[in-house]
Amino acid sequence: MKIDILLGLQWGDEGKGKIVDAISPDYDIIARFQGGPNAGHSLEFNNIKHVLHLIPSGIFHPDKLNIIGNGVVIDPAVFRKEITELGPTVDELIKRLIISTRANLILPSHRILDAAYESQKGLTKIGSTLKGIGPAYTDKTSRNGLRVGDILRKDFRELYDTHVKRHMTMLKNYDLKFDLNEYEKGWFDGIEMLKKFRIVNTEYLVNEHANKGKRILAEGAQGTMLDVDFGSYPFVTSSNTISAGACTGLGISPKLIGDIFGIFKAYCTRVGSGPFPTELCDETGASMRNIGREFGSTTGRPRRCGWLDLPALKYSIMINGVTKLFMTKADVMSGFKIIKICTSYKVDGKECLEIPFNNDSIIEPVYTELPGWEEDISGTREFSKLPESLKIFVEFIENHTGVPVTMVSVGPDREETIFRA
Ligand code: GDP
Ligand code: IMO
Ligand code: MG
């Protein structure tokens, strides 16, 4: 059976957690393939909101298997906290969750290095979540990482000390006060928690299950515009957030990929620094933030808000090979008299359909205006019953992207989801 991928097409926080949870009943396995605790995936049911950072968003379905793949970077302290606060007992979660031997570990000193690098950047800082993501992936690619499978080694503590020693040498170059011990206790408690779970070569598991006809959903973190290769570098995260990342992050062939679900908000948000052509620093942007409750799930920071950006969306669709579009937060747009959609850019005064390579260009969005709608749509469950203006908005996106919008989300709860045949 082919493996489907669900990933973000904008700057993260598109609603991946909600939708993965909502479509989990269609799958046997849900597998995270990249990112780490920088992610914050929210989902709601029975009036309770859960925010997941490392654990795949299928975890609340008792009969599903969840996998943390080799492409993910794991902070054991965050893992332990998440496991203990989730709701189901640890014994129950052990049955539902398997972790890759090859996933790299985020060490306490990676978090300190993250803070050191950011503090040195001054005005050009990335606005990192400071969870140690960049330094952990750097150690992975420079072949200096520690991996989950290593925690089972007898000499793990010595290995750990060697890594920390190297990091401490690097930190001498920075004028930063820190207390490593403060992080370490929770980190080693986390290692003990990790050891309770099944730690296996998940690439075999995923391939075997796919070959046996099991239905697998690969869950992305962050968004395409934060991809380390194709995002607005250097204002990006440190992993490949795109569909290709699912192959390297789970150990599967591109031949095994089925549908690629690209998820986007009816508008745009970005948390952290970096270019955002359609950003609204006015009342309209503030309304989007208030109505859409646009505050970071991981850091609580206010998210920057702006109109839907089609050049960026089309770029993401191209890079990922998106087969179906899922639009979230349609309900947030109710009440806006006019809805703008950016259809092209003027870069340094000239019309341009491409995403510029550098961040110095002055990008001016060219907008089309569509009529808004007044109705509260959060109770609507059929596409045909949505306001005409919203249907026109959806059709406009489909015409410009050439990809069908097969799902519209009208609220944060798993029930507030409209699937189109
Ligand atoms: P993720 O990182 O892509 O999983 O997204 P986040 O969970 O960080 O942010 C999405 C936010 O929007 C969360 O607070 C969700 O509960 C919420 N959300 C998701 N879909 C919808 C929707 O269709 N309408 C509204 N109003 N909120 C939504
Ligand atoms: P989910 O999975 C939104 C942003 C940070 C920062 C940049 C680099 O919830 O969509 P990092 O911590 O990786 O060093 O931060 O990327 N960022 C996210 N923004 N959603 C996320 O994840 C993000 N993960 C990282 O704000 O600008
Ligand atoms: Mg998020």
Side-chain angles (χ1 to χ4, degrees), residues 73 104 110 133-147 228-229 238-240:
V73 283
N104 274 62
H110 283 138
I133 304 295
Y137 275 116
T138 303
D139 271 356
K140 173 180 176 173
T141 46
S142 66
R143 297 153 295 172
N144 284 307
L146 265 182
R147 299 182 294 170
V228 67
D229 282 278
S238 299
S239 63
N240 280 119

Short mmCIF file of all heavy atoms in Angstrom, two decimals, residues 73 104 110 133-147 228-229 238-240:
data_model
loop_
_atom_site.label_atom_id
_atom_site.label_comp_id
_atom_site.label_asym_id
_atom_site.label_seq_id
_atom_site.Cartn_x
_atom_site.Cartn_y
_atom_site.Cartn_z
N VAL A 73 14.48 14.87 15.49
CA VAL A 73 15.47 15.05 16.57
C VAL A 73 14.69 15.12 17.90
O VAL A 73 13.73 15.87 18.03
CB VAL A 73 16.36 16.30 16.38
CG1 VAL A 73 17.42 16.05 15.34
CG2 VAL A 73 15.55 17.55 16.03
N ASN A 104 18.17 11.28 15.95
CA ASN A 104 19.24 11.93 16.73
C ASN A 104 18.70 12.59 17.99
O ASN A 104 17.54 13.00 18.04
CB ASN A 104 19.95 12.98 15.86
CG ASN A 104 21.06 12.36 15.03
OD1 ASN A 104 20.82 11.49 14.18
ND2 ASN A 104 22.29 12.75 15.29
N HIS A 110 22.91 21.35 23.34
CA HIS A 110 22.43 21.86 22.05
C HIS A 110 21.51 23.06 22.26
O HIS A 110 21.52 24.01 21.48
CB HIS A 110 21.65 20.77 21.30
CG HIS A 110 22.52 19.73 20.64
ND1 HIS A 110 22.23 18.39 20.68
CD2 HIS A 110 23.66 19.85 19.94
CE1 HIS A 110 23.16 17.73 20.02
NE2 HIS A 110 24.05 18.59 19.56
N ILE A 133 17.27 22.73 17.98
CA ILE A 133 17.08 22.06 16.69
C ILE A 133 18.31 22.24 15.78
O ILE A 133 18.86 21.25 15.27
CB ILE A 133 15.82 22.62 15.97
CG1 ILE A 133 14.58 22.49 16.86
CG2 ILE A 133 15.63 21.98 14.60
CD1 ILE A 133 14.14 21.11 17.19
N GLY A 134 18.71 23.49 15.56
CA GLY A 134 19.83 23.77 14.65
C GLY A 134 21.10 23.04 15.07
O GLY A 134 21.68 22.29 14.28
N PRO A 135 21.55 23.21 16.32
CA PRO A 135 22.77 22.52 16.74
C PRO A 135 22.66 20.99 16.69
O PRO A 135 23.63 20.30 16.36
CB PRO A 135 22.97 23.01 18.17
CG PRO A 135 22.32 24.37 18.18
CD PRO A 135 21.13 24.25 17.28
N ALA A 136 21.48 20.44 16.96
CA ALA A 136 21.33 18.97 16.91
C ALA A 136 21.46 18.47 15.47
O ALA A 136 22.16 17.49 15.20
CB ALA A 136 20.00 18.54 17.52
N TYR A 137 20.79 19.15 14.53
CA TYR A 137 20.91 18.73 13.12
C TYR A 137 22.32 18.99 12.60
O TYR A 137 22.82 18.27 11.74
CB TYR A 137 19.87 19.44 12.25
CG TYR A 137 18.51 18.76 12.23
CD1 TYR A 137 17.38 19.40 12.72
CD2 TYR A 137 18.34 17.49 11.69
CE1 TYR A 137 16.13 18.80 12.70
CE2 TYR A 137 17.10 16.86 11.66
CZ TYR A 137 15.99 17.53 12.16
OH TYR A 137 14.76 16.92 12.13
N THR A 138 22.96 20.05 13.11
CA THR A 138 24.34 20.33 12.68
C THR A 138 25.24 19.16 13.10
O THR A 138 26.05 18.67 12.31
CB THR A 138 24.85 21.63 13.34
OG1 THR A 138 23.96 22.67 13.00
CG2 THR A 138 26.26 21.98 12.87
N ASP A 139 25.08 18.69 14.34
CA ASP A 139 25.88 17.56 14.80
C ASP A 139 25.57 16.30 14.00
O ASP A 139 26.45 15.48 13.73
CB ASP A 139 25.64 17.30 16.29
CG ASP A 139 26.61 18.10 17.17
OD1 ASP A 139 27.49 18.78 16.61
OD2 ASP A 139 26.49 18.04 18.41
N LYS A 140 24.31 16.15 13.62
CA LYS A 140 23.95 14.98 12.80
C LYS A 140 24.70 15.00 11.47
O LYS A 140 25.36 14.03 11.10
CB LYS A 140 22.43 14.98 12.56
CG LYS A 140 21.96 13.91 11.59
CD LYS A 140 20.44 13.97 11.39
CE LYS A 140 20.00 12.95 10.34
NZ LYS A 140 18.55 12.86 10.20
N THR A 141 24.62 16.14 10.76
CA THR A 141 25.22 16.17 9.43
C THR A 141 26.75 16.26 9.48
O THR A 141 27.42 15.88 8.53
CB THR A 141 24.64 17.32 8.56
OG1 THR A 141 24.62 18.49 9.35
CG2 THR A 141 23.26 17.01 8.07
N SER A 142 27.28 16.77 10.60
CA SER A 142 28.75 16.80 10.69
C SER A 142 29.27 15.50 11.32
O SER A 142 30.43 15.40 11.68
CB SER A 142 29.22 18.02 11.50
OG SER A 142 28.78 17.89 12.84
N ARG A 143 28.35 14.54 11.47
CA ARG A 143 28.69 13.20 11.95
C ARG A 143 29.22 13.20 13.38
O ARG A 143 30.13 12.48 13.73
CB ARG A 143 29.67 12.51 10.97
CG ARG A 143 29.04 12.33 9.60
CD ARG A 143 30.01 12.28 8.51
NE ARG A 143 30.73 13.55 8.36
CZ ARG A 143 31.75 13.72 7.55
NH1 ARG A 143 32.19 12.72 6.82
NH2 ARG A 143 32.34 14.90 7.47
N ASN A 144 28.60 14.06 14.19
CA ASN A 144 28.96 14.14 15.60
C ASN A 144 27.79 13.85 16.51
O ASN A 144 27.86 14.11 17.71
CB ASN A 144 29.47 15.55 15.92
CG ASN A 144 30.88 15.77 15.41
OD1 ASN A 144 31.77 14.98 15.72
ND2 ASN A 144 31.08 16.80 14.61
N GLY A 145 26.69 13.34 15.95
CA GLY A 145 25.47 13.21 16.75
C GLY A 145 25.43 11.97 17.63
O GLY A 145 26.15 10.99 17.40
N LEU A 146 24.56 12.05 18.63
CA LEU A 146 24.22 10.87 19.44
C LEU A 146 22.82 10.47 19.01
O LEU A 146 21.97 11.34 18.80
CB LEU A 146 24.17 11.26 20.92
CG LEU A 146 25.40 11.04 21.79
CD1 LEU A 146 25.08 11.46 23.22
CD2 LEU A 146 25.85 9.59 21.76
N ARG A 147 22.58 9.15 18.92
CA ARG A 147 21.27 8.72 18.44
C ARG A 147 20.52 7.93 19.51
O ARG A 147 21.13 7.43 20.45
CB ARG A 147 21.44 7.92 17.16
CG ARG A 147 22.09 8.74 16.06
CD ARG A 147 22.23 7.98 14.77
NE ARG A 147 23.14 6.85 14.87
CZ ARG A 147 23.29 5.93 13.93
NH1 ARG A 147 22.59 5.99 12.83
NH2 ARG A 147 24.14 4.95 14.10
N VAL A 228 14.88 23.86 4.92
CA VAL A 228 16.27 24.34 4.96
C VAL A 228 16.82 24.63 3.56
O VAL A 228 17.70 25.49 3.40
CB VAL A 228 17.17 23.34 5.76
CG1 VAL A 228 17.31 22.01 5.04
CG2 VAL A 228 18.54 23.94 6.08
N ASP A 229 16.30 23.95 2.52
CA ASP A 229 16.77 24.23 1.16
C ASP A 229 15.90 25.25 0.44
O ASP A 229 16.42 26.08 -0.31
CB ASP A 229 16.77 22.93 0.33
CG ASP A 229 17.98 22.08 0.66
OD1 ASP A 229 19.05 22.37 0.10
OD2 ASP A 229 17.88 21.16 1.50
N SER A 238 16.00 23.59 10.41
CA SER A 238 17.22 22.91 9.96
C SER A 238 16.95 21.55 9.33
O SER A 238 17.87 20.74 9.20
CB SER A 238 18.18 22.73 11.14
OG SER A 238 18.53 24.00 11.63
N SER A 239 15.70 21.29 8.93
CA SER A 239 15.41 19.99 8.31
C SER A 239 14.69 20.21 6.99
O SER A 239 14.23 21.31 6.68
CB SER A 239 14.55 19.14 9.24
OG SER A 239 13.30 19.75 9.47
N ASN A 240 14.56 19.12 6.22
CA ASN A 240 13.76 19.15 4.99
C ASN A 240 12.32 18.84 5.36
O ASN A 240 11.97 17.70 5.68
CB ASN A 240 14.30 18.16 3.95
CG ASN A 240 15.49 18.73 3.21
OD1 ASN A 240 16.58 18.17 3.26
ND2 ASN A 240 15.30 19.85 2.53
#
